[in-house]
Amino acid sequence: DTLNADTLNADTLNADILNANTCEVSNSASLGDGICDGGDHNTPECDFDGGDCDEFNELYPNCETAYPWLVGNGICEEEIYNNVIFALNVPECGYDGGDCSARETVFFSLQELLADN
């Protein structure tokens, strides 16, 4: 099959077609699998993980993490697990995609309440 301008559309263009020579990741099967993998996957050469990281990059353009799939997963990641720092409870990462926002709001509200008394 020959690809031409008439047959190319968003459904047929993917990271494997566009960047087969420049995207170098250990697991190319994870490109475009619906999970934003980060690291070498979330690069222009890999079409931002085959498009999986487009929303993450739009929402959190300054969030630097190798673990973007943890942002907004329902758990406030702000601690160290197995010597890896998950510093996602920061403004750049939307307070872990909102996972830490409620606790932050309660904490700051309590601080303000105590300061007023």
Side-chain angles (χ1 to χ4, degrees), residues 1-114:
D1 292 335
T2 302
L3 294 177
N4 60 49
D6 295 329
T7 61
L8 292 178
N9 61 46
D11 294 329
T12 60
L13 294 177
N14 61 44
D16 295 330
I17 294 170
L18 289 174
N19 300 303
N21 296 324
T22 59
C23 178
E24 296 181 20
V25 293
S26 59
N27 182 9
S28 62
S30 64
L31 294 170
D33 66 352
I35 300 169
C36 178
D37 293 301
D40 291 339
H41 290 75
N42 190 10
T43 61
E45 295 80 18
C46 292
D47 193 30
F48 302 102
D49 195 16
D52 293 341
C53 294
D54 289 347
E55 182 179 10
F56 173 83
N57 292 336
E58 184 177 320
L59 293 173
Y60 313 108
N62 298 314
C63 179
E64 296 184 22
T65 179
Y67 311 100
W69 65 88
L70 295 176
V71 176
N73 69 346
I75 301 169
C76 179
E77 266 86 31
E78 63 178 352
E79 299 182 16
I80 300 173
Y81 302 103
N82 297 323
N83 296 322
V84 177
I85 298 173
F86 295 94
L88 301 177
N89 187 15
V90 294
E92 295 81 9
C93 298
Y95 298 102
D96 196 6
D99 294 341
C100 301
S101 293
R103 187 162 66 175
E104 290 295 312
T105 302
V106 169
F107 175 73
F108 287 120
S109 297
L110 182 58
Q111 265 189 333
E112 291 170 8
L113 178 65
L114 292 174

